[in-house]
Amino acid sequence: MSSEFSIRVNGLSKNFPVYSKPHHRLFQMFSPTSAKSRWFREFRALTGVDFEIHRGETVAIVGRNGSGKSTLLQIICGTLAPSTGSVEVNGRIAALLELGAGFNPEFTGRENVYLNGTVLGLTRAEIDARFDEIVAFADIGEFIEQPVRSYSSGMYVRLAFAVAIHVMPDILVVDEALSVGDEAFQRKCFARIEKIRDAGATVLFVSHAPSTVLELCNRAILLDRGELLAVGTPKRVISRYQKMLYAPSNMVASIRARMQQEMAASRHDGGMEGVAGKPELAHVLEVENSQQLEQIEDTAEDSYFDPGLISQSMLRFETHGAVIEDPHIQTPAGLRVNVLKPGGEFFYTYTVRFDRAAVAVTFGMLIKTISGVELGGATSATPVDAIDVVESGAAVHVKFKFRCLLAPGTYFLNAGVRGRVDNEETFLDRIIDAALFRVPPDSGRLATGFVDFHVRPDVEMVDNEPELSHEFK
Ligand SMILES: Nc1ncnc2c1ncn2[C@@H]1O[C@H](COP(=O)(O)OP(=O)(O)OP(=O)(O)O)[C@@H](O)[C@H]1O
Ligand SMILES: [Mg+2]
């Protein structure tokens, strides 16, 4: 990585005209430029965005839907003009933006490879030399001789990505296009992106998958409602993104305000470069719910929600008068998470709705490994202390507080509710593999095995003198 910049974005803003009625667009076209009234209102998709990406960096842009990610990439690639501000790009850019951009649908795949390759700056001889490799990477078989309009969106992306990576760009820009391909192809693309990155190119891409951002990038950028809310290490930015996504709605505004303050302070201190290592600016902002906010900061910093982590082996037994709903893990501040910071405290929680009365009701949970080894769990009460009667129509929120003392890996959770109906003690509802969570790698871990028993090693050197050899005795 060098200090030379690849992409520099200065005070970028983008307004789109929004017409409340379609014909207003026409009225506007024919109204004199001097006219005072306008037929549209302006929607601001980007506001004062500044950042710099150095040569050799791999940077992800994250943010909620509609936050301006695609707009920003289009401006960087020159397919959209900014309203104010500027972008400087240093090097040859290859971009994979929206589907449909870059290829002529009437031309065959082969013709489009040449067309697209030329647009990206290759000579015919250079494309000839790479053609077979491009086709092999795209792996679309006979379709290479068919017009692109007959392609599925997956085939389209395969070919477009194959061309983009074979032009040996200095800068590779990828919007979410890759999510169209199947998982095997996505894996192949990300392996290729890693190769491009390792060869010294700059990579800028949009992603909604925290694991991809954490694995691939050295920095990340968080956009929200067109504003830059965080720039820094992937871990830091992802944790902020998760905070925005899963915060209780009454706290979003204060969390946003805090991030804005952090950004402003980091700019004030000489720009974004120092952001990653900066201490939290806890004192900067007095927010109404500051105590609650601190809790979120503490517990969510290293824990987050990975939407790709879904139980595919969930098994529900026949229900007997009660239904377990929404089993999930959350932080003490109520944020939904499934990647758990080792050592952190969490709640495994679910709701049980009763559609008939039950007596002597208890609730249970169990944590297991992937191979099914039962590591530990608990019931809410002994049968003696069980809830005497739960009426039909009632709902019970169940929360099990636990500390994550597990080795890095993936774990599964069961949920169950027991009680007596028709004088028979039974499971009223029971779900196997109701939820799952991951404990990320922890390089400082000394504990071995699945469970950390808080063993504290104490090693004392007693006698380290080398034994004197026999001649000197
Ligand atoms: N041509 C346009 N005219 C009007 N509004 C637009 C136009 N293009 C984008 N917008 C608006 O700008 C905002 C940002 O859009 P953009 O596509 O950049 O978001 P995004 O972060 O890429 O979202 P997603 O995650 O859904 O892809 C959105 O509110 C969108 O409706
Ligand atoms: Mg987009």
Side-chain angles (χ1 to χ4, degrees):
M1 217 176 294
S2 81
S3 57
E4 202 183 327
F5 81 88
S6 271
I7 300 168
R8 191 182 275 158
V9 172
N10 311 303
L12 205 65
S13 295
K14 177 68 186 174
N15 297 337
F16 287 112
V18 179
Y19 300 89
S20 50
K21 301 238 164 54
H23 59 268
H24 287 175
R25 186 184 296 267
L26 269 179
F27 290 176
Q28 181 63 35
M29 278 168 77
F30 293 109
S31 66
T33 40
S34 57
K36 281 210 178 95
S37 62
R38 295 188 313 189
W39 289 97
F40 61 89
R41 64 181 176 84
E42 296 217 308
F43 175 77
R44 183 157 269 217
L46 290 174
T47 308
V49 176
D50 283 298
F51 61 85
E52 191 171 305
I53 295 176
H54 292 173
R55 187 172 296 281
E57 283 199 286
T58 300
V59 179
I61 303 181
V62 299
R64 299 187 280 186
N65 294 128
S67 55
K69 305 179 294 294
S70 299
T71 304
L72 176 61
L73 290 193
Q74 281 173 278
I75 295 175
I76 288 173
C77 295
T79 54
L80 198 65
S83 302
T84 57
S86 64
V87 171
E88 297 164 76
V89 173
N90 195 356
R92 176 159 71 181
I93 233 177
L96 205 58
L97 300 177
E98 291 163 291
L99 281 180
F103 280 176
N104 183 329
E106 296 308 319
F107 289 3
T108 64
R110 175 185 291 273
E111 289 164 339
N112 269 300
V113 169
Y114 279 88
L115 184 72
N116 206 225
T118 312
V119 170
L120 293 170
L122 293 188
T123 63
R124 194 175 172 91
E126 283 173 322
I127 305 172
D128 283 341
R130 291 165 203 193
F131 187 80
D132 289 346
E133 238 184 288
I134 292 174
V135 172
F137 190 94
D139 195 16
I140 55 169
E142 307 278 284
F143 275 91
I144 192 71
E145 307 300 348
Q146 300 299 318
V148 159
R149 72 178 134 71
S150 67
Y151 285 20
S152 70
S153 53
M155 280 163 27
Y156 189 98
V157 160
R158 280 168 173 263
L159 190 60
F161 188 74
V163 177
I165 56 172
H166 283 89
V167 301
M168 301 299 169
D170 302 309
I171 305 167
L172 178 66
V173 175
V174 185
D175 204 339
E176 283 172 287
L178 291 184
S179 56
V180 174
D182 59 42
E183 276 186 357
F185 184 71
Q186 278 182 30
R187 182 59 221 133
K188 194 161 100 171
C189 292
F190 283 120
R192 197 59 191 230
I193 289 178
E194 279 168 32
K195 228 167 140 183
I196 289 177
R197 176 195 66 185
D198 295 344
T202 306
V203 181
L204 178 63
F205 70 100
V206 168
S207 179
H208 286 292
S211 52
T212 306
V213 177
L214 293 168
E215 277 164 30
L216 222 57
C217 302
N218 67 296
R219 268 200 308 156
I221 290 172
L222 170 62
L223 274 185
D224 192 68
R225 289 200 227 143
E227 246 181 284
L228 196 67
L229 279 195
V231 181
T233 62
K235 199 168 118 182
R236 183 185 162 98
V237 171
I238 287 290
S239 93
R240 277 158 177 68
Y241 173 45
Q242 300 284 351
K243 230 171 274 173
M244 295 292 306
L245 268 183
Y246 301 111
S249 55
N250 63 340
M251 291 192 62
V252 170
S254 51
I255 289 174
R256 238 181 150 265
R258 185 188 171 116
M259 291 185 195
Q260 283 169 327
Q261 289 279 343
E262 280 187 0
M263 270 317 292
S266 80
R267 283 202 185 97
H268 186 71
D269 288 356
M272 58 178 228
E273 291 313 313
V275 174
K278 266 209 173 91
E280 295 288 310
L281 295 163
H283 57 282
V284 173
L285 192 64
E286 297 276 336
V287 287
E288 265 174 274
N289 297 322
S290 63
Q291 204 184 346
Q292 220 177 337
L293 197 58
E294 281 313 315
Q295 255 183 334
I296 286 188
E297 284 291 346
D298 289 342
T299 52
E301 191 60 48
D302 293 311
S303 304
Y304 57 88
F305 189 81
D306 178 349
L309 209 54
I310 298 164
S311 173
Q312 298 188 350
S313 48
M314 188 187 286
L315 175 69
R316 167 169 249 141
F317 286 76
E318 198 182 332
T319 60
H320 291 103
V323 176
I324 297 171
E325 290 176 356
D326 195 23
H328 66 274
I329 300 171
Q330 60 187 43
T331 66
L335 282 187
R336 198 175 272 248
V337 290
N338 59 8
V339 178
L340 311 191
K341 178 188 176 183
E345 204 163 70
F346 300 93
F347 289 94
Y348 175 42
T349 175
Y350 53 79
T351 301
V352 183
R353 292 193 189 282
F354 289 79
D355 47 40
R356 58 189 289 191
V359 297
V361 176
T362 58
F363 306 91
M365 59 89 81
L366 177 66
I367 302 177
K368 298 164 306 172
T369 64
I370 289 183
S371 59
V373 176
E374 297 184 358
L375 294 173
T379 51
S380 58
T382 62
V384 179
D385 301 324
I387 303 179
D388 286 339
V389 182
V390 180
E391 297 297 346
S392 174
V396 179
H397 292 296
V398 185
K399 267 184 169 184
F400 294 99
K401 184 164 151 180
F402 70 101
R403 194 169 282 285
C404 179
L405 300 175
L406 294 166
T410 303
Y411 300 91
F412 290 80
L413 285 155
N414 288 2
V417 46
R418 288 182 72 85
R420 216 164 54 234
V421 286
D422 301 334
N423 261 335
E424 194 193 340
E425 154 80 23
T426 181
F427 273 108
L428 307 179
D429 192 16
R430 183 183 182 199
I431 311 178
I432 309 296
D433 297 352
L436 80 166
F437 63 91
R438 193 167 63 217
V439 180
D442 177 4
S443 55
R445 181 180 161 91
L446 297 176
T448 55
F450 284 121
V451 181
D452 183 351
F453 287 99
H454 283 276
V455 177
R456 291 291 163 262
D458 182 4
V459 181
E460 190 185 347
M461 187 78 77
V462 180
D463 184 3
N464 197 25
E465 290 285 307
E467 226 173 79
L468 289 175
S469 82
H470 163 119
E471 291 113 75
F472 294 101
K473 274 193 181 156

